[in-house]
């Protein structure tokens, strides 16, 4: 393999990987505060992209993206308040069915609003054919935007969870909800906030990736599957592990093309998911003891 | 007691009248036509324009008083390009609705799944699927309106011969259309002295193909790339090839005939070469072209009614409903007679070309129904 081909695969892999990682982090944030998997996570990514595209027809790109993120966060909060907040100690199965139902609902609403066609935001720099040369590889400048913005998002999130009061409150809720409530943390608000946060980062990811992948009303489903694979691969609830797992999966997928036909790309990620579920159900970076303390 | 008896009799009488009058009305005043189209899902680029077009034409026919006074009762089913759904809708339309004919499905994969069901149910099927296998071998009740994919392949290979391109790479989506196209590309290549040195299939939901483009680019033998799909990935392929700085001639299938793909690919769409029906360039056709009048009429009607640009796919829907309407107009609403009328129809001018059906050709179009086109300044032009 030439150096050129190697770095070309590497960049393709990092691009896929970081997007998967962002979706996986969205899963993890909600999982940590509620113990459920929000299967509508992919739809937040789609909504972010779609809303930004619609807004961009009347306002410039940066405010359009900012507003789209805010609107998606509000939608995330509303979903939690309307469908989840009032449930008194719901079972895991019930929550899963609710979130799957929500994802179908959002998709159908999006189909009615935006139609079946693909849309996309303009490239942040240059256009569809501009490319820059890095490490022998020719890549679109948008790839750097995706890697950069997602990287910053991951860093900010880890600072947020480690050093801010709100972030610590959220972590307390995930560690022990009862104890956190006794300490005066409003656990219900933390759940709402976790929905807003994961909707927000999903929406931002949806905006930066839109020029590369396009946005279509049903593009969330595929992302949710990949994101879920990555979340499980890294260990559910562990956001930093999700980044490592996402990059790992993306790079494996990209390099696999050099060896096996392209048609097997998705088979590889699903096989990895199955193997992990059988061999290390707590993920590559998960710990058995902490996993035993969780209900799901 | 007596009152009870009378009212019961009345009720039974009313019931009998309802039972007898409803089907009688249905068979005498209307012609029930089913349409199974991928209005949503991965092939919505096809099914959307097709369903809007068919609905528009049916409304037009009905507003003009129907065919011989009979209105068309159109039932559109959205299959979402899912063959299982197409199968159950077909059974429902034939067994429960007793439809006169079925238009669609939008995709070749779905059509192949329901071909035999229509054949057994003796129901006319006019498919909007492109693959040649739909009408080869010929099935008695199955017709199709899009041009055969083998003609598209030959058109492309002709162009390559002129440019002395000998070694090519083939990319295809994993849909019925993509698979059938890839097969035709591989089978026909030797006839033209062309060698396919790499062939890759990608998922219909693929969102980034830069890795596979890098792989193909590393193979220095490749002189041209042919991409065969109907999904948005055809715009992504174009972008990824140009972003990689690869200046290779890119050919696409007739599935590229929707200006939205050009918009999606933006600057990367410039110079893509593909075969398509003449609808896309209706404005610039010479006045002597027999299709020009009907192409402009359809384009005008469609674009005025919907906030959408006319595509060749909507045209396939137009041809399907108009061929059926013409046959019914000629011989009346009798399934067997209409089937014979379609099979013997000659010189029907549609959006896809001039149809000349026969017992051995249930498509009726020849290779000249395609013209080679390219993209210039974001518009389709004749190549």
């Amino acid at each position: 393999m030439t150096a050129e081909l190697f770095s070309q695969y590497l960049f393709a892999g990092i691009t896929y990987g970081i997007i998967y990682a962002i979706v996986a982090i969205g899963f993890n944030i909600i999982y940590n505060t509620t113990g459920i998997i929000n299967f509508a996570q992919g739809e937040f990514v789609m909504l972010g992209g779609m809303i930004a595209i619609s807004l961009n027809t009347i306002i410039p790109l940066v405010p359009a993206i900012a507003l789209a993120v805010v609107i998606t966060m509000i939608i995330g909060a509303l979903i939690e308040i309307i469908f989840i907040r009032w449930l008194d100690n719901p079972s895991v199965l019930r929550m899963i069915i609710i979130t799957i139902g929500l994802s179908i609902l959002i998709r159908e609403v999006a189909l009615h609003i935006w139609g079946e066609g693909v849309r996309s935001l303009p490239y942040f720099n240059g256009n569809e054919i501009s490319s820059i040369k890095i490490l022998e590889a020719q890549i679109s400048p948008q790839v750097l935007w995706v890697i950069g913005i997602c990287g910053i998002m991951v860093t900010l999130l880890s600072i947020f969870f480690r050093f801010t009061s709100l972030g610590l409150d959220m972590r307390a809720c995930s560690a022990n909800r009862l104890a956190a409530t006794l300490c005066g943390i409003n656990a219900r608000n933390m759940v709402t906030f976790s929905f807003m946060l994961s909707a927000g980062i999903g929406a931002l990811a949806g905006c930066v990736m839109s020029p590369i992948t396009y946005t279509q009303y049903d593009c969330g489903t595929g992302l949710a599957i990949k994101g879920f694979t990555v979340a499980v691969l890294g260990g559910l609830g562990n956001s930093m592990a999700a980044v490592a797992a996402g990059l790992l999966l993306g790079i494996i997928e990209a390099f696999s093309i050099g060896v096996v036909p392209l048609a097997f790309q998705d088979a590889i990620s699903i096989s990895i998911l199955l193997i992990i579920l059988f061999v290390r159900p707590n993920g590559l970076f998960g710990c058995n003891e902490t996993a035993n303390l969780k209900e799901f | 007691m007596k009152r009870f008896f009378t009212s019961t009799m009345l009720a039974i009488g009313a019931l009998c009248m309802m039972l007898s009058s409803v089907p009688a009305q249905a068979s005498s005043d209307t012609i029930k036509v089913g349409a199974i189209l991928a209005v949503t899902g991965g092939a919505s680029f096809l099914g959307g324009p097709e369903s809007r077009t068919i609905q528009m034409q049916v409304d037009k026919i009905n507003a003009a008083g129907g065919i011989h006074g009979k209105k068309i009762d159109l039932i559109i089913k959205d299959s979402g390009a899912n063959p299982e759904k197409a199968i159950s809708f077909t059974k429902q339309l034939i067994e429960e609705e007793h439809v006169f004919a079925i238009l669609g499905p939008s995709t070749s994969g779905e059509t192949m799944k329901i071909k035999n069901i229509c054949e057994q149910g003796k129901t006319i099927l006019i498919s909007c699927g492109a693959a040649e296998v739909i009408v080869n071998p010929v099935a008695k009740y199955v017709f199709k309106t899009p041009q055969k994919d083998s003609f598209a392949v030959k058109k492309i290979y002709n162009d390559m011969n002129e440019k002395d391109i000998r070694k090519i790479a083939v990319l295809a989506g994993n849909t019925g259309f993509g698979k059938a196209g890839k097969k035709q590309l591989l089978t026909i290549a030797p006839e033209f002295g062309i060698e396919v040195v790499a062939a890759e299939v990608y998922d219909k939901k693929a969102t980034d193909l830069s890795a596979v483009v890098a792989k193909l680019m590393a193979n220095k033998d490749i002189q041209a790339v042919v991409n065969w799909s109907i999904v948005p990935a055809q715009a992504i392929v174009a972008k990824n090839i140009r972003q990689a700085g690869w200046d290779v001639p890119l050919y696409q299938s007739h599935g590229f005939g929707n200006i939205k793909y050009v918009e999606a690919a933006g600057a990367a769409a410039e110079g893509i070469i593909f075969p398509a029906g003449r609808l896309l360039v209706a404005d610039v056709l010479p006045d002597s072209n027999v299709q020009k009048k009907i192409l402009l009429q359809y384009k005008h009607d469609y674009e005025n009614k919907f906030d959408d640009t006319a595509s060749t796919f909507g045209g396939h829907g137009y041809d399907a409903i108009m061929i059926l309407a013409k046959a019914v107009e000629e011989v009346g609403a009798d399934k067997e007679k209409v089937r014979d009328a379609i099979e013997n129809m000659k010189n029907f001018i549609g959006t896809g070309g001039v149809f000349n059906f026969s017992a051995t050709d249930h498509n009726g179009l020849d290779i000249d129904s395609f013209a080679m086109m390219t993209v210039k300044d974001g518009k389709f032009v004749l190549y």
Side-chain angles (χ1 to χ4, degrees):
Chain A
M1 189 182 290
T2 61
E4 186 193 342
L5 196 57
F6 180 84
S7 43
Q8 201 85 49
Y9 283 154
L10 189 67
F11 272 108
I14 294 174
T15 320
Y16 306 144
I18 200 101
I19 292 169
Y20 299 160
I22 292 294
V23 179
I25 291 175
F27 275 121
N28 284 336
I29 292 174
I30 293 181
Y31 175 80
N32 274 342
T33 50
T34 59
I36 60 164
I37 302 293
N38 170 29
F39 282 96
Q41 185 61 33
E43 270 60 41
F44 289 146
V45 180
M46 179 272 293
L47 278 179
M50 281 298 195
I51 294 172
I53 291 162
S54 297
L55 289 174
N56 191 35
T57 54
I58 40 175
I59 56 175
L61 187 64
V62 176
I65 291 176
L67 202 54
V69 170
V70 172
I71 292 174
T72 314
M73 286 173 88
I74 294 170
I75 294 173
L78 284 177
I79 283 175
E80 199 277 333
I81 291 166
I82 297 170
F83 295 99
I84 293 166
R85 195 183 182 94
W86 54 274
L87 295 176
D88 199 24
N89 207 8
S91 70
V92 170
L93 188 63
R94 191 170 163 199
M95 295 290 261
I96 289 175
I97 292 170
I98 289 176
T99 59
I100 290 178
L102 280 172
S103 86
I104 296 171
L105 183 73
I106 297 173
R107 226 176 302 147
E108 292 300 314
V109 170
L111 175 63
H112 280 278
I113 299 176
W114 290 290
E116 74 278 345
V118 291
R119 288 148 185 263
S120 79
L121 282 173
Y123 277 73
F124 295 3
N125 281 112
N127 62 8
E128 290 82 0
I129 52 170
S130 48
S131 65
I132 41 175
K133 211 174 168 87
I134 295 178
L135 301 173
E136 301 290 307
Q138 294 261 12
I139 55 165
S140 164
Q142 193 66 27
V143 168
L144 295 184
W145 276 106
V146 171
I147 296 173
I149 290 186
C150 292
I152 293 170
M153 229 167 7
V154 169
T155 320
L156 288 181
L157 275 175
S158 78
I159 293 172
F160 171 78
F161 280 117
R162 248 164 245 246
F163 300 112
T164 65
S165 160
L166 193 58
L168 288 171
D169 285 359
M170 284 175 79
R171 279 174 63 203
C173 283
S174 81
N176 189 326
R177 195 168 167 163
L178 185 64
T181 314
L182 289 174
C183 292
I185 297 168
N186 187 334
R188 294 210 160 171
N189 282 353
M190 290 302 126
V191 173
T192 313
F193 190 70
S194 73
F195 268 81
M196 288 175 71
L197 195 59
S198 69
I201 63 164
L204 187 56
C207 293
V208 287
M209 63 187 262
S210 170
I212 298 183
T213 63
Y214 299 133
T215 312
Q216 196 173 10
Y217 77 96
D218 61 351
C219 71
T221 324
L223 282 172
I225 293 172
K226 289 288 171 63
F228 182 64
T229 308
V230 167
V232 171
L233 189 60
L236 269 175
N238 188 343
S239 289
M240 288 307 118
V243 177
L247 291 175
L248 186 67
L249 182 70
I251 291 170
I252 291 176
E253 274 191 8
F255 277 93
S256 70
I257 290 172
V259 192
V260 294
L262 175 60
F264 291 97
Q265 199 183 20
D266 284 338
I268 288 168
S269 62
I270 300 295
S271 314
I272 291 175
L273 175 63
L274 287 177
I275 293 170
I276 290 293
L277 284 175
F278 284 127
V279 182
R280 278 192 71 93
N282 308 315
L284 287 179
F285 310 102
C287 159
N288 277 330
E289 279 155 31
T290 41
N292 287 340
L293 296 171
K294 290 175 180 165
E295 61 173 312
F296 167 62
Chain B
M1 187 66 204
K2 198 181 173 192
R3 187 183 284 168
F4 173 71
F5 181 71
T6 334
S7 57
T8 315
M9 284 307 285
L10 270 172
I12 291 171
L15 215 71
C16 287
M17 272 168 71
M18 271 168 67
L19 279 175
S20 59
S21 70
V22 170
Q25 196 184 14
S27 64
S28 68
D29 292 348
T30 62
I31 303 166
K32 235 184 210 185
V33 174
I36 302 171
L37 300 165
V39 184
T40 59
S44 53
F45 264 101
L46 314 174
E50 282 160 5
S51 82
R52 288 192 283 271
T53 302
I54 292 175
Q55 186 68 58
M56 177 179 86
Q57 291 305 119
V58 166
D59 290 347
K60 219 170 152 184
I61 292 169
N62 287 346
I67 308 169
H68 297 310
K70 287 185 183 182
K71 300 234 160 125
I72 297 177
D73 177 12
L74 180 68
I75 307 165
I76 295 181
K77 301 277 186 192
D78 176 13
S79 68
N82 179 340
E84 279 73 38
K85 275 194 188 169
I87 291 171
S88 64
F89 283 143
T90 311
K91 288 184 176 154
Q92 194 188 346
L93 286 172
I94 295 176
E95 286 160 18
E96 290 170 25
E97 303 279 0
H98 303 289
V99 292
F100 185 81
I102 296 175
L103 307 178
S106 309
T107 66
S108 305
E110 293 169 272
T111 309
M112 293 313 288
K113 294 277 187 213
I114 68 164
K115 192 175 166 181
N116 283 335
I117 306 175
C118 292
E119 201 64 4
Q120 280 157 12
K122 294 193 188 334
T123 303
I124 300 165
L125 178 74
I126 308 181
S127 170
C128 297
E132 184 161 353
V133 280
I134 296 168
V135 290
N136 182 19
V138 166
K140 199 177 169 198
Y141 292 89
V142 180
F143 299 86
K144 80 183 199 83
T145 57
Q147 302 88 342
K148 288 179 192 169
D149 44 12
S150 60
F151 289 153
V153 171
K154 285 175 184 164
K155 271 278 185 191
I156 289 174
Y157 283 168
N158 264 329
D159 190 67
M160 287 180 175
N161 277 355
E162 280 171 25
K163 291 182 183 141
D164 204 31
I165 293 171
R166 295 288 161 204
K167 293 195 168 157
I168 61 163
V170 170
L171 280 169
N174 69 343
T175 57
F177 180 75
K179 282 183 211 152
K182 184 181 159 212
K183 206 173 149 201
Q184 297 279 14
L185 282 163
L186 296 177
T187 336
I188 299 173
E191 283 177 35
F192 288 81
I194 288 168
E195 193 191 338
V196 179
V197 290
E200 294 278 357
V201 175
Y202 52 80
D203 187 69
K204 60 186 171 203
K205 287 249 161 247
T207 51
D208 186 283
L209 297 165
S210 53
V212 75
V213 165
K215 182 183 177 185
L216 294 179
M217 199 174 152
N219 187 340
K220 299 293 176 207
D221 284 342
I222 295 169
Q223 292 171 290
V225 176
V226 183
N227 175 57
W228 211 272
S229 62
I230 42 169
V231 283
Q234 42 188 352
I236 296 173
V237 171
K239 281 196 311 184
N240 290 155
I241 286 182
R242 299 302 176 224
Q243 280 162 0
W246 195 15
D247 191 25
V248 71
L250 174 60
Y251 290 84
Q252 300 259 20
S253 69
H254 43 315
F256 192 66
N258 188 325
I259 198 74
K260 281 187 186 152
Y261 289 128
V262 175
E263 285 162 11
E270 294 293 307
I272 289 176
I273 308 163
F274 69 105
R278 290 184 172 77
L279 177 70
L280 303 177
V281 290
D283 308 334
V284 295
L285 285 176
D287 287 335
S288 58
N289 189 298
V290 286
Q291 279 181 274
K292 184 165 184 175
K293 195 174 146 229
I294 160 176
L295 290 177
L296 285 177
Q297 173 77 42
Y298 166 63
K299 206 169 146 72
H300 175 263
D301 288 354
Y302 185 86
E303 288 174 359
N304 273 4
K305 190 160 169 131
F306 308 105
D307 179 25
D308 191 19
T309 324
S311 66
T312 51
F313 311 119
H316 300 325
Y318 175 94
D319 293 345
I321 180 71
M322 295 316 276
I323 286 170
L324 182 70
K326 173 112 192 291
V328 174
E329 199 183 324
E330 278 174 8
V331 295
D334 179 291
K335 269 188 203 179
E336 291 302 315
K337 280 187 191 160
V338 166
R339 193 211 75 86
D340 295 343
I342 297 177
E343 195 171 88
N344 293 316
M345 195 178 283
K346 300 280 180 227
N347 278 322
F348 176 87
I349 299 169
T351 64
V354 180
F355 290 83
N356 287 298
F357 291 99
S358 70
T360 51
D361 184 3
H362 275 194
N363 177 217
L365 293 171
D366 61 10
I367 192 165
D368 287 329
S369 54
F370 275 129
M372 287 307 274
M373 293 181 196
T374 186
V375 180
K376 205 176 168 205
D377 300 328
K379 285 199 181 72
F380 291 127
V381 290
L382 280 171
Y383 184 60

